Amino acid sequence: MRHALTALATLATLPAAAQELIVYTYDSFTSEWGPGPVIEAAFEAECGCELTFVGTGDGAAMVARLQLEGAGTDADVVLGLDTNLTHAAAETGLFAPAPTDMPAPDLPVVWEDPTFVPFDWSYFAFIYDTTVLAEPPTSFESLAESDVSIVIQDPRSSTPGLGLLMWVDALYGEEAGAIWGELADNIVTVTPGWSEAYGLFLEGEADMVLSYTTSPAYHLIAEEDGTKAAAPFEAGHYMQVEVAGQLASTDQPELAEAFLRFIATPPFQSALPTTQWMYPAFPTPLPEGYETLHVPETALLLPAEEAAARRDAALALWREALSR
């Protein structure tokens, strides 16, 4: 609470003249059903400024866009990278350090990143309809041996797609190529981002879709539909921690820092469980229904530097296997 009051006090001291903060993020965050509209209204009410979210496709595409735009980018803040991308993003030299007075996040892992502020997290999982699929696969091997169809996302443009790539890499290492080869005939299509993939699943185009263990909460809470579930994989599930960072080139450094501090406050965090359908990164009560979600016994997450070092080799195995 002390940090929340500090954040609000900082916002109150900002000049009242109209200022604009531009935040690059992924498309689903800015959609009318995503957290963007709620958070935009809450932050603007505190800062007396204009917050503009700019959708840039999916998360992984943001790093490529920033590399192209360089220090001339219009963005003041980037929101929606994850720990599979933060090392590469920091290596661009485009990001400023995070405020040093941020409160400690509430995550299943120790957070020591000096540049990026976490805002939500969950575990990757394949989501299925319990009325269609009675016995879901419990491993990548059993999935490959089955005729269960899946929709996944492209790891070159999508953070869930990259998360799946690192999930397989973390479990199988040099044998990952063989697993991808065995999974190839289960894959209906590879989409650029999460929204397209989940839409195809809901339209009945595949038995399962790569998403999150928290995705069934949407159906349960918003639709009163308890038929969607996460397939529990016995070997463990890879985690995603999503982050935001301030661009060093911003002409609104105080406003950008105020937004990063705002991420840790209740107006931002309380919007996430029922708009983003992810766990908040800072202590926040969860709505009824979250207690029913699958919580993996084993959590997998490569350190950011190791994920960056293994990414290109893992991507080469994925491309080779799926191009056959």
Side-chain angles (χ1 to χ4, degrees):
M1 180 58 73
R2 178 172 63 83
H3 294 284
L5 292 175
T6 300
L8 296 178
T10 302
L11 291 172
T13 62
L14 292 173
Q19 300 177 88
E20 182 182 22
L21 184 75
I22 297 176
V23 177
Y24 282 5
T25 187
Y26 45 80
D27 290 346
S28 61
F29 196 93
T30 65
S31 68
E32 60 179 332
W33 43 264
V38 175
I39 289 168
E40 179 182 342
F43 185 67
E44 288 181 346
E46 299 292 347
C47 70
C49 65
E50 180 180 352
L51 172 60
T52 301
F53 286 118
V54 177
T56 60
D58 215 313
M62 275 190 285
V63 175
R65 177 164 174 169
L66 285 173
Q67 288 173 325
L68 285 173
E69 295 181 348
T73 182
D74 291 333
D76 301 300
V77 171
V78 168
L79 183 147
L81 305 179
D82 69 10
T83 55
N84 292 320
L85 294 169
T86 51
H87 182 74
E91 289 290 294
T92 66
L94 295 173
F95 287 88
T100 57
D101 56 352
M102 292 295 300
D106 181 21
L107 298 170
V109 295
V110 175
W111 191 260
E112 297 178 334
D113 194 310
T115 304
F116 296 101
V117 174
F119 65 91
D120 69 14
W121 67 277
S122 188
Y123 304 94
F124 292 113
F126 285 99
I127 303 301
Y128 69 102
D129 187 325
T130 58
T131 66
V132 175
L133 198 59
E135 296 184 8
T138 57
S139 67
F140 286 104
E141 290 92 339
S142 61
L143 171 59
E145 292 169 357
S146 75
D147 59 0
V148 172
S149 58
I150 59 174
V151 181
I152 64 174
Q153 299 86 25
D154 192 327
R156 295 165 293 186
S157 57
S158 161
T159 57
L162 181 56
L164 175 61
L165 186 80
M166 302 317 297
W167 186 3
V168 173
D169 181 77
L171 287 176
Y172 301 101
E174 294 181 356
E175 301 301 318
I179 292 294
W180 281 117
E182 295 170 4
L183 288 172
D185 61 0
N186 297 91
I187 300 171
V188 174
T189 190
V190 179
T191 64
W194 175 90
S195 298
E196 303 96 319
Y198 210 85
L200 289 172
F201 165 68
L202 293 179
E203 292 168 7
E205 296 297 325
D207 298 317
M208 301 202 302
V209 60
L210 178 70
S211 192
Y212 301 90
T213 57
T214 43
S215 297
Y218 163 73
H219 302 283
L220 184 64
I221 296 172
E223 298 181 333
E224 298 182 349
D225 174 6
T227 64
K228 306 300 186 294
F233 274 28
E234 296 167 349
H237 290 242
Y238 200 82
M239 284 181 58
Q240 182 180 48
V241 180
E242 295 194 291
V243 305
Q246 173 186 337
L247 275 300
S249 59
T250 177
D251 58 359
Q252 300 283 0
E254 291 184 2
L255 202 54
E257 286 191 5
F259 182 76
L260 293 182
R261 293 189 183 94
F262 184 72
I263 284 174
T265 67
F268 190 109
Q269 292 292 300
S270 63
L272 299 175
T274 54
T275 56
Q276 183 81 329
W277 306 101
M278 299 277 280
Y279 294 114
F282 293 87
T284 304
L286 294 173
E288 185 177 352
Y290 266 72
E291 75 283 359
T292 68
L293 302 178
H294 172 65
V295 178
E297 293 184 5
T298 302
L300 308 169
L301 183 66
L302 295 173
E305 187 171 356
E306 184 176 352
R310 295 171 66 160
R311 178 184 172 189
D312 287 349
L315 184 59
L317 292 175
W318 177 85
R319 293 178 64 176
E320 181 180 355
L322 298 194
S323 64
R324 291 173 184 165

